[in-house]
Amino acid sequence: MTGAGGAGPRVLVTGAGGQIGSELVPALRAQLGDGRVLATDVKDVETRLGAPFLVLDSTDGGAVADTVRSNGIDTIYHLAALLSVTAEERPQAAYSVNLGSLVAVLEAAREAGARVFAPSSIAAFGPGTPREGTPQDTIQRPTTMYGVTKVAGELLCDYYHRKFEVDTRGIRYPGLVSHVAEPGGGTTDYAVDMFHAALSDGRYRCYLRPDTQLDMMYMPDAVRAAQELMHADPARLRHRNAFNVSAIRLTPARLATEIRALVPGFEVEYDVDEGRQAIADSWPRAVDDSAACSEWGWRARYDLTAMAREMIAHLSARAQPVGER
Ligand code: VAH
């Protein structure tokens, strides 16, 4: 890959094989040109993501700095992280991966003068936070290791901006729904699993209570939000790490009803997993995203009906034999 000034990568994506990266990488390549976006992951997912790709452990500070420097990277989308359920099963590993990789990326960005997008999550709030209309600026005392790493990550990113003038920006993502990549180890994975189950079995056993309300977002909106925030005029940003964004207020019962309108007869039974229910109950039910709207023009485009239609259409097409598509 060529260095600074050449036609090589300018953008580095870590954790590119994950749920967000699987759609962000193609979107960035469509925007900038394939060769300008270097996808990296600790696993070799090049066959799925395409070139340019590099196997990179983003907790390895030296490897991250070398990759940024040798490619003349000017923007890093840092997506590598263990999600909430996995982080509760392996808290020490989650601390090491989530924060160790973030420090490596921030140090590489500081040395290279690169900008950094580092997603946070509604998991950065805890049970002491107002759960309805959760303000942009409010108490953040999460009770999960994932949430601890997200709050610490927000503070680290703001510190690197204040102390070293690194252009860091982030978004507190809600639960994300995607048909491209399976989610892994998240509390909100039920929302994706329900679509797959409706088409494969016609029934789903849900691990959260039917009335568990959480903010959710369709992945194309989440990807566009990251791109729009990174293109926002820095002079307009009063906040940086990280912005509340909202799109769909969702419960398992509402999603089941929406899917049943598209897949008649779809049935859901509820077998609550106390651990995952406790995580979901510690998170906001609905956040206030007025700061994102006013500071960089955030507007969701997908509501529940539009998301459900697209998810069913894409997953149905994939389920059909190629000859019948
Ligand atoms: C999780 N999908 O479930 C992630 C997300 C708000 C939830 O951060 O852990």
Side-chain angles (χ1 to χ4, degrees), residues 19 83-85 120-123 146 150 173-176 185-189 215 283:
Q19 194 191 21
L83 299 184
S84 57
V85 174
S120 181
S121 161
I122 59 173
Y146 179 64
K150 286 301 172 183
Y173 279 126
L176 299 179
T187 302
T188 58
D189 294 355
D215 276 321
W283 291 349

Side-chain angles (χ1 to χ4, degrees), residues 31-261:
Q31 178 191 4
L32 303 169
D34 287 1
R36 309 295 267 180
V37 182
L38 175 57
T40 71
D41 198 289
V42 70
K43 297 179 195 138
D44 186 349
V45 289
E46 181 167 8
T47 50
R48 182 154 62 84
L49 287 180
F53 177 84
L54 180 71
V55 174
L56 177 66
D57 173 354
S58 52
T59 64
D60 179 341
V64 172
D66 289 346
T67 303
V68 168
R69 191 185 314 113
S70 62
N71 287 283
I73 298 293
D74 60 28
T75 304
I76 304 169
Y77 287 83
H78 176 52
L79 308 179
L82 299 182
L83 299 184
S84 57
V85 174
T86 304
E88 285 310 294
E89 293 163 354
R90 300 166 55 208
Q92 293 77 10
Y95 181 90
S96 164
V97 168
N98 295 8
L99 289 176
S101 64
L102 180 59
V103 170
V105 163
L106 289 169
E107 273 298 290
R110 179 178 64 80
E111 284 173 15
R115 308 182 317 140
V116 176
F117 175 81
S120 181
S121 161
I122 59 173
F125 297 114
T129 305
R131 297 193 69 201
E132 296 285 352
T134 305
Q136 174 66 42
D137 301 306
T138 186
I139 185 171
Q140 291 179 261
R141 292 191 63 80
T143 50
T144 64
M145 175 56 87
Y146 179 64
V148 166
T149 68
K150 286 301 172 183
V151 173
E154 291 185 10
L155 297 174
L156 264 176
C157 289
D158 276 346
Y159 177 84
Y160 267 75
H161 177 63
R162 261 193 326 274
K163 179 88 172 182
F164 303 117
E165 298 181 343
V166 178
D167 185 348
T168 58
R169 309 180 190 191
I171 287 173
R172 291 169 184 151
Y173 279 126
L176 299 179
V177 177
S178 160
H179 61 83
V180 173
E182 300 279 328
T187 302
T188 58
D189 294 355
Y190 86 85
V192 179
D193 298 342
M194 205 182 269
F195 282 103
H196 287 273
L199 292 174
S200 58
D201 310 316
R203 59 186 316 104
Y204 178 66
R205 180 188 296 251
C206 185
Y207 53 79
L208 294 181
R209 284 196 315 267
D211 63 344
T212 306
Q213 181 180 298
L214 293 168
D215 276 321
M216 292 279 187
M217 184 179 290
Y218 189 38
M219 189 60 79
D221 266 348
V223 164
R224 177 175 55 85
Q227 292 177 287
E228 289 181 1
L229 173 57
M230 291 306 278
H231 279 83
D233 175 0
R236 289 182 59 197
L237 301 181
R238 288 184 46 247
H239 297 84
R240 282 179 169 271
N241 301 284
F243 283 93
N244 288 356
V245 292
S246 178
I248 301 167
R249 309 250 190 276
L250 197 61
T251 64
R254 268 197 79 200
L255 182 56
T257 301
E258 198 71 30
I259 292 175
R260 196 171 296 118

